[in-house]
């Protein structure tokens, strides 16, 4: 937001140049990001944190300057004539009814009659122009000027266009229509809070006024509104209608409850200065409920403990009083105060909040640089070494680490998992409304992001947690998700390009799992239904599923506008990390030659290689170094429902040369094991 330091000087006599002022405000926590312009046209571009709506205006910045430099702060004191209702009638000049006390705690109004609507005074036009605010007319500009001066949003209505002679603050009726000042017809619901006359809505509370009651050149009588609106109500309404305004920005963060009369009078003063007219009666102030902030107990011993330095009591009192806090000493041996928090500081609720105010105004740069006391040693997490090994292996395999949101949509949660979800209380959007139950949606989105930007060969991995509801509690599980698409081999003068396949990903997964201790790994073809059947598998390590991988079903990829084949792998780290890392040991190359024997068998289609491998392993041949499939064949002379498999066994001893009769005996035992599976040895 933009702030004019010349405007700030209206409230505090600053004796520093603007660049020094910018530095001091930044150290104070009111960050000035840039300084542009010169002289009276100097502008600060400021970054005010969302918890400080009190500083989103010139008077709020002036209050900070008053505390920084210990200078008096001039109060805003509108000069408006004292007026009474016509005929001395004690009744309100315009009745106001608040039907929703939660949404509107206070509503203040003033009436001015016989106003001349015309351009604003040159000073107001110039100052609003410095803040990139377009002047409209003297009545509307008065509300904008008050907003930027003291931070309180207000609104002006054409009094003659309010029907029924009263204002009603209520919830809208389902289906009611309101044309707002931006010219948009908005369909309202019962969740919307509106300012209405006796017949219709005339404004979205705390957000934007209505088009049909706006100030025009024909306006002669004005009703000024200054109210306190519930932040949650305004925030939801603003999001529902996609309508973020300067007013909603402040009301969403908490406005000053006590400033409604002051801001109303300030708008009235500015209108009377430029457009004349007469005030009718005094302020109409309707209070539906009080917002009394609880006082905070402040112990000086706690101030010194937290800050690590003893500050003079006078310095502490000076800082807090300049910021508008009232302090009442409490009797007792320990120095203690009751701090009354000002109405514009809704962010201060606890003693630590008050101490933070003291620290930032005293100056963080004035505290000595010290490290907190610590007794003990750094304790490495139990799975740190395993995690490090997996990450380094993935990087070596050509995968880059990426990070996605831990939130996904309901639709993704239902498609990629079946566990109960954890709803977010205040989601960023419908696409990020639940904690992720699977890492697949995030990986698909990241792959799509790269593909949409012309990067066609992508390999990514993400390590993180997935979440699921467990009764009233939540459960977290560690996962790694790998994603790959594009080429396995790039084209060169030595080779043609080759697209990534299921077997490439299979090899990467095997490489990762091989770093952990295990007795055996099996594969099952029952991966999740979002994988392509026949191009996916589950990995079973010692009887427990530790991973699943394969090609994502093309229709699912197409929904994210992905045209390439996508391969993913999910590794369940909470299960895998139960096992230790495999110790790498050196073994010398054998001095004696190996002997190979081939076996050609016919098996039923129901017999898988996992069964074949287990049957041969059960024979217990110590000299059997490897047993692998070489060729598979179907059709021709092979009956339907069967296949021919060529298997190769390698025998080798580290102590001697093997004899032919030994190899023949071991081969015979292998044949028997395979025949026990229903296999038939082919003669040729």
């Amino acid at each position: 937001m933009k702030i004019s330091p010349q405007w700030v000087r209206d409230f505090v006599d600053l004796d520093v140049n603007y660049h020094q002022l910018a530095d001091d405000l930044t150290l104070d926590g009111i960050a000035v990001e840039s300084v542009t312009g010169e002289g009276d046209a100097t502008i600060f571009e400021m970054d005010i944190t969302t918890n400080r709506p009190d500083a989103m205006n010139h008077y709020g910045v002036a209050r900070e300057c008053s505390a920084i430099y210990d200078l008096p702060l001039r109060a805003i004191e509108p000069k408006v004539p004292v007026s009474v209702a016509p005929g001395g009638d004690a009744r309100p000049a315009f009745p106001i009814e608040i039907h929703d006390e939660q949404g509107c705690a206070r509503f203040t109004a003033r009436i001015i009659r016989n106003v001349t609507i015309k351009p604003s005074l040159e000073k107001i036009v110039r100052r609003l122009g410095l803040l990139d605010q377009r002047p409209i007319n003297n009545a509307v500009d008065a509300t904008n000027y008050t907003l930027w001066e003291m931070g309180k949003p207000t609104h002006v209505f054409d009094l003659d266009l309010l029907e029924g002679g009263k204002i009603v603050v209520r919830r809208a009726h389902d289906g009611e229509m309101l044309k707002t000042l931006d010219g948009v017809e908005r369909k309202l619901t019962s969740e919307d809070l509106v300012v209405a006359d006796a017949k219709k809505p005339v404004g979205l509370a705390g957000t934007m006024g209505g088009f049909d009651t706006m100030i025009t050149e024909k306006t002669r009588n004005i009703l000024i509104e200054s109210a306190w609106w519930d932040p949650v109500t305004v925030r939801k309404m603003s999001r529902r209608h996609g309508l973020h305004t300067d007013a909603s920005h402040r009301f969403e963060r908490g406005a000053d409850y006590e400033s409604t009369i002051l801001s109303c009078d300030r708008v009235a003063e500015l209108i009377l200065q430029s457009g004349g007219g007469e005030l009718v009666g005094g302020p109409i102030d309707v209070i539906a409920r009080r917002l009394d902030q609880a006082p905070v107990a402040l112990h000086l011993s706690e101030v010194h403990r937290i800050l690590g330095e003893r500050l003079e009591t006078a310095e502490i009192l000076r800082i807090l009083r300049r910021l508008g806090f009232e302090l009442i000493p409490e009797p007792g041996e320990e120095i203690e105060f009751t701090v009354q928090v000002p109405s514009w500081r809704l962010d201060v609720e606890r003693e630590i909040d008050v101490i933070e105010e003291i620290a930032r105004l005293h100056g963080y740069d004035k505290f000595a640089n010290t490290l907190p006391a610590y007794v003990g040693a750094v304790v490495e997490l139990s799975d740190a070494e395993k995690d490090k090994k997996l990450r380094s292996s993935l990087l070596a395999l050509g995968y880059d680490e990426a990070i996605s949101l831990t939130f996904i949509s309901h639709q993704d949660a239902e498609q990629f998992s079946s566990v109960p979800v954890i709803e977010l209380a205040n989601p960023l959007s419908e696409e990020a409304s639940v904690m992720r139950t699977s890492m697949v949606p995030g990986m698909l989105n990241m792959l799509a992001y790269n593909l949409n930007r012309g990067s066609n060969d992508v390999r990514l991995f993400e390590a993180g947690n997935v979440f699921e509801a467990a009764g009233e509690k939540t459960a977290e599980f560690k996962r790694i998700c790998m994603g790959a698409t594009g080429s396995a081999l790039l084209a060169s003068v030595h080779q043609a390009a080759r697209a990534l396949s299921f077997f490439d990903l299979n090899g990467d997964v095997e490489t990762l799992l091989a770093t952990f201790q295990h007795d055996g790994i099996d594969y099952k073809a029952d991966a999740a239904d979002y994988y392509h059947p026949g191009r996916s598998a589950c990995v079973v390590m010692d009887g427990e599923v530790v991973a699943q991988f394969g090609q994502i079903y093309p229709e699912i990829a197409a929904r994210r506008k992905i045209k390439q084949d996508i391969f993913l792998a999910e590794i369940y780290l909470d299960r895998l990390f139960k096992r230790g890392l495999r110790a790498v040991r050196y073994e010398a190359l054998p001095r004696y030659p190996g002997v190979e024997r081939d076996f050609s068998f016919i098996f039923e289609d129901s017999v898988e290689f996992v069964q074949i491998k287990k049957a041969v392993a059960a024979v217990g041949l110590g000299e059997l170094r490897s047993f692998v499939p070489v060729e598979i064949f179907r059709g021709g002379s092979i009956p339907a429902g069967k296949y021919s498999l060529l298997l190769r066994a390698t025998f080798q001893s580290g102590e001697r040369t093997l004899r032919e009769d030994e190899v023949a005996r071991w081969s015979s035992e292998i044949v028997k094991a395979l025949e026990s599976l229903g296999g038939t040895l082919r003669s040729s």
Side-chain angles (χ1 to χ4, degrees), residues 22 41 62 78 118 183 256 274 284 391 398 452 536 552 573:
K118 61 181 183 179
D256 181 1
S274 61
I284 308 164
R391 289 174 188 268
N452 291 338
S536 58
I552 291 294
L573 298 186

Side-chain angles (χ1 to χ4, degrees), residues 642-661:
K642 296 185 178 183
Y643 67 96
S644 174
L645 183 63
L646 178 63
L647 300 161
R648 180 165 295 158
T650 302
F651 304 96
Q652 191 174 34
S653 171
E655 300 174 354
R656 58 186 176 81
T657 301
L658 298 177
R659 300 192 309 273
E660 182 63 30
D661 62 313

Side-chain angles (χ1 to χ4, degrees), residues 402-409 412 424 427-446 462-467:
I403 300 175
S404 67
L405 280 177
T406 54
F407 313 134
I408 59 175
S409 67
D412 283 342
L424 295 180
L428 297 173
S429 68
E430 287 297 323
E431 299 302 313
S433 57
V434 299
M435 299 295 289
R436 67 182 177 195
T437 53
S438 168
M439 299 183 74
V440 171
M443 180 56 67
L444 288 176
N445 290 339
M446 291 188 291
E462 180 180 13
N465 290 344
V466 296
F467 309 84

Side-chain angles (χ1 to χ4, degrees), residues 95-113:
I96 296 172
E97 301 174 5
I98 299 177
H99 293 175
D100 190 318
E101 296 182 0
Q102 179 60 37
C104 179
R106 187 175 190 176
F107 194 107
T108 303
R110 274 227 182 223
I111 291 176
I112 306 178
R113 292 190 179 275

Side-chain angles (χ1 to χ4, degrees), residues 377-574:
V378 176
V379 178
E380 190 172 59
L381 296 176
S382 58
D383 295 329
E385 187 62 30
K386 300 172 185 177
D387 187 75
K388 179 181 177 182
K389 179 64 177 176
L390 275 180
R391 289 174 188 268
S392 63
S393 297
L394 282 162
L395 292 171
L397 289 168
Y399 291 81
D400 295 314
E401 185 166 8
I403 300 175
S404 67
L405 280 177
T406 54
F407 313 134
I408 59 175
S409 67
H410 267 286
Q411 182 180 356
D412 283 342
E414 292 172 1
Q415 182 171 27
F416 296 106
S417 66
S418 58
V419 300
V421 300
I422 302 170
E423 300 272 359
L424 295 180
N426 188 22
L428 297 173
S429 68
E430 287 297 323
E431 299 302 313
S433 57
V434 299
M435 299 295 289
R436 67 182 177 195
T437 53
S438 168
M439 299 183 74
V440 171
M443 180 56 67
L444 288 176
N445 290 339
M446 291 188 291
L447 291 173
Y449 181 91
N450 282 270
L451 292 172
N452 291 338
R453 284 154 182 79
S455 183
N456 296 321
D457 301 319
V458 187
R459 294 192 182 193
L460 301 174
F461 80 91
E462 180 180 13
N465 290 344
V466 296
F467 309 84
E468 65 179 72
E472 296 182 357
K473 298 182 179 180
T474 61
E476 299 182 28
F477 303 97
K478 298 182 71 174
R479 298 281 190 271
I480 277 184
C481 186
M482 302 159 57
T485 185
S487 301
L489 295 174
L490 298 177
S492 71
V493 295
H494 305 292
Q495 62 189 12
R498 181 174 68 78
L500 194 77
S501 72
F502 166 82
F503 299 103
D504 294 304
L505 185 63
N506 187 4
D508 292 341
V509 172
E510 283 187 350
T511 299
L512 294 177
L513 299 183
T515 61
F516 289 84
Q517 297 174 359
H518 59 271
D519 294 328
I521 289 181
D522 298 335
Y523 292 87
K524 294 184 177 179
D526 54 356
D529 57 7
Y530 48 83
Y531 286 106
H532 195 302
R535 301 179 191 174
S536 58
C538 284
V539 185
V540 181
M541 180 181 285
D542 299 337
E544 185 176 31
V545 175
V546 296
Q548 63 176 343
F549 65 96
Q551 180 185 344
I552 291 294
Y553 207 75
E555 288 185 4
I556 294 175
R559 290 173 196 159
R560 285 175 163 79
K561 299 182 180 179
I562 299 175
K563 299 178 181 179
Q564 297 183 189
D565 290 344
I566 297 294
F567 297 90
L568 296 188
E570 301 165 75
I571 301 177
Y572 309 132
L573 298 186
D574 51 308

Side-chain angles (χ1 to χ4, degrees), residues 77-126:
E77 297 175 334
K79 296 179 177 60
V80 292
V82 178
S83 177
V84 296
D89 193 342
R91 291 176 299 176
F94 203 86
I96 296 172
E97 301 174 5
I98 299 177
H99 293 175
D100 190 318
E101 296 182 0
Q102 179 60 37
C104 179
R106 187 175 190 176
F107 194 107
T108 303
R110 274 227 182 223
I111 291 176
I112 306 178
R113 292 190 179 275
N114 301 318
V115 176
T116 300
I117 301 301
K118 61 181 183 179
S120 296
L121 299 175
E122 189 276 334
K123 174 185 175 182
I124 290 179
V125 172
R126 177 171 48 82

Side-chain angles (χ1 to χ4, degrees), residues 158-330:
D158 187 323
L159 183 66
D160 298 326
L161 298 177
L162 296 174
E163 300 183 72
K166 66 177 180 179
I167 284 287
V168 180
V169 179
R170 60 173 174 82
R171 295 286 171 168
H173 307 307
D174 286 326
E176 264 189 312
M177 301 298 294
L178 171 65
K179 186 177 182 180
T180 46
L181 285 172
D182 56 1
V184 177
E185 285 277 0
R186 301 184 185 276
K187 188 174 183 179
L188 307 179
T189 72
S190 58
E191 296 183 20
D192 293 318
L193 183 64
V194 296
V195 179
D197 58 21
K199 295 185 177 180
K200 64 184 182 303
V202 294
L204 278 177
T207 306
M208 184 176 283
F211 186 89
D212 296 334
T213 55
M214 70 177 177
I215 304 298
T216 67
E217 293 180 355
K218 298 178 181 179
T219 300
R220 291 294 174 265
N221 303 311
I222 291 175
L223 183 138
I224 305 168
E225 167 216 314
S226 181
W228 186 94
W229 306 107
D230 174 54
V232 175
T233 300
V234 174
R235 185 182 307 117
K236 289 182 177 179
M237 192 162 56
S238 175
R239 289 185 180 179
R240 186 161 52 249
H241 291 283
L243 191 61
H244 184 82
T245 62
D246 288 329
S248 67
H249 186 79
R250 286 155 177 80
F251 281 123
E252 287 175 15
R253 288 153 178 77
D256 181 1
Y257 175 87
E258 298 293 344
S259 68
T260 58
I261 292 180
L262 178 63
S263 56
C264 213
D265 285 350
R266 181 59 170 149
V267 174
E269 177 187 33
L270 294 174
I271 293 175
L272 291 170
Q273 285 176 358
S274 61
E278 304 89 33
L279 278 175
V280 178
I284 308 164
D285 189 27
V286 179
I287 297 176
R289 59 186 174 95
R290 281 279 177 192
L291 294 183
D292 295 322
Q293 289 177 267
V296 175
L298 178 67
H299 306 79
L300 294 192
S301 59
E302 189 68 4
V303 175
H304 302 322
R305 185 187 72 83
I306 294 293
L307 301 185
E309 185 175 315
R310 295 191 67 84
L311 302 185
E312 294 291 335
T313 303
E315 170 72 356
I316 294 173
L317 299 181
R318 179 196 71 77
I319 289 171
L320 294 177
R321 283 170 177 159
R322 286 293 186 198
L323 291 175
F325 293 83
E326 295 180 13
L327 292 97
I328 304 171
E330 295 289 339

